[in-house]
Amino acid sequence: LVDDALLLIGKSYFYQTEYLKAERKFSELLSQFPTSSLAPEAELWLVKTMIRLGKNDEALAVAQSLAQEASGQGANDLAGETFFWIGDLQVLMGNKTKALESFQKVEDFTSDASLLSSSRLKSGTVLFSLGEYARAASAFLKAAELAEDPAMQFGPKLEALRSLRAAREYEAALQLAEEMLSDFRFSSVSKEVLFERGLTYAAQGARMEAMDDYRFVDSTSARTEIGAKAAFELAVLLENQEGDYRRARDAYSKALSYPVPSIVQQARRRQNALNRYLLLRDQMVVLDSLLAAEM
């Protein structure tokens, strides 16, 4: 029972985020009971622990050895999970092409729906970062198909929508947005879908439809992150496409009602610039009217 106890203690330390202690317990099991039936599982947990400790090179060496051993012995589920962590390590180490190869091997070995969904989600993220947006959208949609919980389906579908927009497949992106909006299971997060649909309309050149979505999200989600983002995008369209600087200034003010790090500085800078412009313009109107009266 000692090997079993060491594994349980190691897992307990891991879940308590005491990774150094966890590493020692897993290593102790492997050194004292190298032929234990629990040794492969302990190796996998050792890999996870080393990743938390930032020992990526050591973790990769252990994981590759374990994957080779597991696949050779027909332990397909273990091999699949190990290849998943190898892919995760390759992403951390900047080896995106090798990461994709490892995530593909997960598909080859395991039939676990949860693991396959996570692997496809990771693949989609890597493909998107590489600019392969169409392939990323396909990976995200496959990840959503395998997720049983609607809460786990929403994220991959939203990423698929963004990927389709990045690939300039606007009609497909809009169709996916409509499907998500008509699915009652996503009703609590429909504002995020509407915001993404607005971005898609804007990218497509459908300015009025985009502004309608932004206005709806802004007015129904005031002083929230999604509301601030919608107000900011509305302001950008009003300023750059409509030339309506007063309403753009007001929209930038709404965007500042909730501090979103990615937009707050630009929103404040644009608001101040438009305030100065409108003040000077009002002064010019007054001076012009006085000049006309004098003449």
Side-chain angles (χ1 to χ4, degrees), residues 47-116:
V47 169
K48 298 178 187 180
T49 306
M50 286 177 170
I51 293 173
R52 297 298 195 283
L53 291 171
K55 299 179 178 181
N56 294 339
D57 291 328
E58 295 177 51
L60 184 60
V62 175
Q64 288 175 333
S65 174
L66 177 60
Q68 184 176 2
E69 181 181 349
S71 57
Q73 294 178 353
N76 291 343
D77 286 339
L78 177 61
E81 188 173 358
T82 306
F83 277 118
F84 174 83
W85 288 104
I86 291 174
D88 220 28
L89 273 165
Q90 297 287 12
V91 171
L92 290 173
M93 298 169 76
N95 302 322
K96 295 182 179 181
T97 303
K98 291 183 178 180
L100 290 173
E101 293 173 0
S102 296
F103 290 135
Q104 181 57 51
K105 288 181 180 178
V106 177
E107 306 268 344
D108 298 337
F109 282 98
T110 189
S111 58
D112 182 88
S114 177
L115 183 61
L116 286 170

Side-chain angles (χ1 to χ4, degrees), residues 19-242:
Y19 300 121
L20 283 172
K21 291 182 179 180
E23 182 186 29
R24 283 197 291 268
K25 289 302 174 184
F26 296 135
S27 299
E28 186 179 344
L29 189 158
L30 293 169
S31 63
Q32 293 188 15
F33 305 94
T35 60
S36 169
S37 61
L38 297 175
E41 185 180 356
E43 280 191 89
L44 184 59
W45 279 92
L46 181 60
V47 169
K48 298 178 187 180
T49 306
M50 286 177 170
I51 293 173
R52 297 298 195 283
L53 291 171
K55 299 179 178 181
N56 294 339
D57 291 328
E58 295 177 51
L60 184 60
V62 175
Q64 288 175 333
S65 174
L66 177 60
Q68 184 176 2
E69 181 181 349
S71 57
Q73 294 178 353
N76 291 343
D77 286 339
L78 177 61
E81 188 173 358
T82 306
F83 277 118
F84 174 83
W85 288 104
I86 291 174
D88 220 28
L89 273 165
Q90 297 287 12
V91 171
L92 290 173
M93 298 169 76
N95 302 322
K96 295 182 179 181
T97 303
K98 291 183 178 180
L100 290 173
E101 293 173 0
S102 296
F103 290 135
Q104 181 57 51
K105 288 181 180 178
V106 177
E107 306 268 344
D108 298 337
F109 282 98
T110 189
S111 58
D112 182 88
S114 177
L115 183 61
L116 286 170
S117 179
S118 298
S119 178
R120 289 170 180 176
L121 184 60
K122 295 271 188 179
S123 294
T125 303
V126 173
L127 288 166
F128 190 95
S129 70
L130 291 172
E132 297 189 40
Y133 303 121
R135 289 181 63 195
S138 177
F140 286 131
L141 289 173
K142 288 179 180 178
E145 288 174 5
L146 288 170
E148 298 179 359
D149 186 351
M152 301 300 293
Q153 294 176 6
F154 177 73
K157 284 193 173 185
L158 199 65
E159 292 298 330
L161 196 163
R162 292 167 178 158
S163 300
L164 289 169
R165 181 174 66 246
R168 298 185 179 181
E169 297 183 20
Y170 301 125
E171 293 303 324
L174 291 172
Q175 182 180 351
L176 178 57
E178 293 299 329
E179 291 175 3
M180 295 176 72
L181 289 170
S182 63
D183 192 333
F184 73 93
R185 298 175 301 173
F186 300 145
S187 58
S188 63
V189 285
S190 60
K191 305 295 174 56
E192 293 189 47
V193 182
L194 284 170
F195 175 68
E196 293 295 335
R197 188 177 72 174
L199 291 175
T200 305
Y201 277 134
Q204 192 183 36
R207 189 167 68 251
M208 300 308 297
E209 290 85 350
M211 288 196 294
D212 285 343
D213 279 346
Y214 294 150
R215 285 194 183 98
F216 183 84
V217 175
D218 169 38
S219 60
T220 57
S221 303
R223 292 180 175 83
T224 66
E225 180 176 354
I226 194 68
K229 288 180 177 179
F232 179 82
E233 294 296 337
L234 176 61
V236 170
L237 284 182
L238 288 169
E239 179 186 2
N240 298 326
Q241 301 294 324
E242 297 290 307

Side-chain angles (χ1 to χ4, degrees), residues 195 224-236 251-252 254-271:
F195 175 68
T224 66
E225 180 176 354
I226 194 68
K229 288 180 177 179
F232 179 82
E233 294 296 337
L234 176 61
V236 170
Y252 281 126
K254 286 186 177 181
L256 291 170
S257 65
Y258 188 94
V260 180
S262 60
I263 65 173
V264 65
Q265 290 186 353
Q266 188 177 359
R268 185 174 290 113
R269 186 164 56 248
R270 299 306 304 162
Q271 180 197 37

